[in-house]
Amino acid sequence: MAKVFHKLLPVAGLSEAGKSQFTGKAMRVFLSVSALFLLVSPAFAAPPVKQTVKATFASHQTVTEKQAAGVYDLSSMSAFSGTVTQFLPAPDGGVLGLLLNGDTEVLVSPEIGHTLSGLIKVGDHISLRGVKAYTLPVIRAFAITSPRGRSVQDSLMAVPQHSPEMIIGPDIVVHGEIAMPLYNLGGQVSGVILKDHTLIHLIPREAARLAAWLKPGQSVYAVGTGNNGVLGTAINAREIGPAADRKEAVAISNVPLSGPAAGSAGYDVISGAE
């Protein structure tokens, strides 16, 4: 390499010692420049491919889901899983829960219910935490996770037992074969689920009175107000029976008890107190 530099560099007029000294300096400069070029060359290479950071679960949660996530550790509760067969709609358009594997009712609080249809869909295989009834096919769910990893949890606050609300609207007529009883959070029979996924809601005392008509496999005919939406049909029955010509009126919880009208002569009389 020194001989090459000696030939290439203009060193005329220098002594042999000067030529060697000059050549050595030139080599050092050349090597320094080469090293610098090697160090900075990556800066002129093709720009590196940007690393794609996978979005976290939290970034996909809706605000409603985050608010309903809760602060309690539910890992000590029993874990369940299964396939969603249908939603359990309320007559007012809300969601009471869902049917799991076609035979288990998963009941939730209103806190979870209003986000459930946006979290899962029929056919999803879901996991949940909750408590199962001793003998009834019912699970009270406190947290539900979709197959896409999104979840919702209620705050564990006490949920009041509300009676069915009076729905104002045109009558909806439903009929078909009974698949199974419909239960409420207290474990009481509060109607039936038909094989076509329609829900007929009754107050528990009327469901108990008409138990002979509400057995799985029997046909039922009912009329009442309710909701017929994308999640299914649900009514508060006002009339019900095994056939259209054999139905009878049933009480709706917020209908006033029978008796003398307010302001009438017998309104202030307490029966049996005379």
Side-chain angles (χ1 to χ4, degrees), residues 138-203:
V138 174
I139 296 172
R140 166 62 165 101
F142 291 93
I144 295 178
T145 302
S146 79
R148 291 162 289 281
R150 301 172 70 179
S151 61
V152 63
Q153 173 183 324
D154 73 27
S155 64
L156 304 185
M157 294 176 63
V159 180
Q161 295 290 309
H162 291 296
S163 298
E165 298 291 336
M166 173 71 79
I167 308 297
I168 299 175
D171 281 343
I172 298 175
V173 178
V174 300
H175 57 87
E177 185 178 340
I178 297 173
M180 61 188 299
L182 175 67
Y183 297 96
N184 62 18
L185 284 171
Q188 299 170 302
V189 175
S190 58
V192 292
I193 303 175
L194 305 188
K195 284 194 172 180
D196 67 358
H197 305 306
T198 297
L199 269 65
I200 301 174
H201 291 264
L202 295 163
I203 59 174

Side-chain angles (χ1 to χ4, degrees), residues 42-273:
F44 297 94
V49 178
K50 292 182 178 180
Q51 296 293 322
T52 302
V53 179
K54 291 185 178 180
T56 62
F57 159 63
S59 67
H60 286 298
Q61 277 187 304
T62 63
V63 173
T64 303
E65 286 172 359
K66 289 177 181 178
Q67 290 173 340
V71 297
Y72 295 98
D73 179 7
L74 303 182
S75 60
S76 60
M77 285 188 173
S78 298
F80 305 92
S81 64
T83 302
V84 178
T85 306
Q86 72 169 86
F87 287 98
L88 300 179
D92 63 359
V95 177
L96 302 177
L98 53 90
L99 195 63
L100 202 65
N101 299 327
D103 58 7
T104 302
E105 295 175 33
V106 176
L107 304 179
V108 300
S109 67
E111 192 171 14
I112 288 182
H114 77 280
T115 66
L116 205 56
S117 62
L119 181 74
I120 61 176
K121 61 182 184 294
V122 173
D124 278 351
H125 188 83
I126 64 170
S127 58
L128 56 95
R129 294 276 181 178
V131 291
K132 190 179 185 304
Y134 283 115
T135 58
L136 302 176
V138 174
I139 296 172
R140 166 62 165 101
F142 291 93
I144 295 178
T145 302
S146 79
R148 291 162 289 281
R150 301 172 70 179
S151 61
V152 63
Q153 173 183 324
D154 73 27
S155 64
L156 304 185
M157 294 176 63
V159 180
Q161 295 290 309
H162 291 296
S163 298
E165 298 291 336
M166 173 71 79
I167 308 297
I168 299 175
D171 281 343
I172 298 175
V173 178
V174 300
H175 57 87
E177 185 178 340
I178 297 173
M180 61 188 299
L182 175 67
Y183 297 96
N184 62 18
L185 284 171
Q188 299 170 302
V189 175
S190 58
V192 292
I193 303 175
L194 305 188
K195 284 194 172 180
D196 67 358
H197 305 306
T198 297
L199 269 65
I200 301 174
H201 291 264
L202 295 163
I203 59 174
R205 73 169 184 269
E206 289 287 45
R209 181 174 70 86
L210 302 173
W213 286 357
L214 305 178
K215 296 178 180 179
Q218 295 185 168
S219 295
V220 68
Y221 190 101
V223 179
T225 52
N227 184 67
N228 186 9
V230 294
L231 299 181
T233 301
I235 69 166
N236 278 332
R238 190 179 66 254
E239 294 179 278
I240 192 169
D245 59 351
R246 293 180 57 198
K247 64 184 186 298
E248 66 176 69
V250 292
I252 299 176
S253 62
N254 56 357
V255 172
L257 297 174
S258 59
S264 66
Y267 180 73
D268 294 325
V269 176
I270 300 176
S271 179

